C-alpha cells in the first residue's frame, strides 16, 4: 500500500462491546506502527447503547486500554460508505450502496457473558485487527500477542 489514507470502520448494533474493542485495538495498532495520519478509524452502531458494556471495560483495562470514557454513537451510512473496510461484528443488517469491503467477523456478543468469555472475544478481535493492519500495511517485525501488552 502507498501513502494513501485508509479508513477502517468497526460497527455493531449497540457500539458497546465488539466494535469498541476493535476500535481500541485499531487505535493502538495505528500508534504502534506510526500510522497516525494514514489510518482513519470510524466506529458506531445502528442502535447505540448508553454506555460500553461493563465486562468489556474490565477486560480491556487488563491490557491497559481504558474504554470507561467512551460513549457508543450512531454511525451513518454515508460515514460507512466513505470507508475502505467496514468490519461488522456478526450482527449487522447494513446495506451499503458504495463499493466498500464489508467483512462480517461473526463474533459472539460479549454483553452479559462471564469475563472469561469476554476475554476470548477480546483476544479474537485483537488478532483480527492486527491481521487487517498486516494486510494493508505489511506485518510488523516485533512479536504481537496479548501477552506482550499485558
Amino acid at each position: 500500500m502507498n501513502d494513501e489514507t485508509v479508513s477502517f470502520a468497526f460497527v455493531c448494533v449497540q457500539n458497546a462491546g465488539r466494535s469498541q474493542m476493535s476500535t481500541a485495538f485499531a487505535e493502538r495498532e495505528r500508534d504502534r506502527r506510526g500510522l497516525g495520519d494514514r489510518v482513519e478509524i470510524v466506529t458506531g452502531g445502528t442502535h447505540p447503547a448508553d454506555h460500553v458494556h461493563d465486562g468489556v471495560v474490565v477486560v480491556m483495562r487488563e491490557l491497559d486500554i481504558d474504554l470507561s470514557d467512551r460513549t457508543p454513537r450512531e454511525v451513518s451510512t454515508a460515514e460507512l460508505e466513505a470507508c475502505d473496510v467496514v468490519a461488522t461484528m456478526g450482527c449487522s443488517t447494513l446495506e451499503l450502496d458504495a463499493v466498500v469491503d464489508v467483512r462480517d467477523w461473526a463474533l459472539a456478543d460479549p454483553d452479559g457473558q462471564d469475563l472469561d468469555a469476554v476475554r476470548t472475544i477480546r483476544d479474537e478481535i485483537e488478532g483480527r485487527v492486527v491481521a487487517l493492519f498486516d494486510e494493508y500495511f505489511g506485518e510488523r517485525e516485533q512479536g504481537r500477542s496479548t501477552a506482550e501488552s499485558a
Side-chain angles (χ1 to χ4, degrees):
M1 194 98 205
N2 58 25
D3 289 339
E4 293 177 27
T5 300
V6 176
S7 297
F8 297 135
F10 303 98
V11 183
C12 61
V13 173
Q14 294 187 324
N15 189 223
R18 295 162 287 188
S19 58
Q20 290 286 350
M21 287 190 281
S22 299
T23 298
F25 283 127
E27 291 166 348
R28 186 184 73 182
E29 200 63 22
R30 176 181 62 192
D31 292 346
R32 283 182 172 173
R33 294 176 187 236
L35 298 169
D37 57 349
R38 290 187 52 204
V39 177
E40 294 176 356
I41 300 167
V42 174
T43 191
T46 51
H47 296 90
D50 293 330
H51 58 83
V52 175
H53 301 311
D54 294 338
V56 168
V57 171
V58 168
V59 302
M60 292 300 283
R61 191 172 285 138
E62 294 170 355
L63 300 181
D64 294 324
I65 298 173
D66 185 7
L67 298 183
S68 63
D69 62 346
R70 306 252 177 145
T71 303
R73 62 179 288 273
E74 189 167 353
V75 66
S76 73
T77 300
E79 281 179 286
L80 297 178
E81 288 181 343
C83 291
D84 296 292
V85 176
V86 174
T88 63
M89 305 293 132
C91 52
S92 173
T93 58
L94 288 177
E95 293 186 22
L96 303 177
D97 290 329
V99 178
V100 177
D101 182 1
V102 179
R103 302 177 185 195
D104 188 351
W105 286 357
L107 298 160
D109 187 348
D111 190 23
Q113 297 208 40
D114 66 51
L115 291 181
D116 283 337
V118 179
R119 284 184 194 102
T120 298
I121 296 164
R122 174 199 68 196
D123 294 347
E124 183 173 347
I125 289 170
E126 181 180 23
R128 287 175 182 260
V129 169
V130 169
L132 182 62
F133 273 77
D134 286 349
E135 177 184 339
Y136 273 80
F137 301 103
E139 293 188 31
R140 288 191 331 143
E141 285 94 45
Q142 302 94 348
R144 309 174 311 272
S145 70
T146 301
E148 170 196 15
S149 56

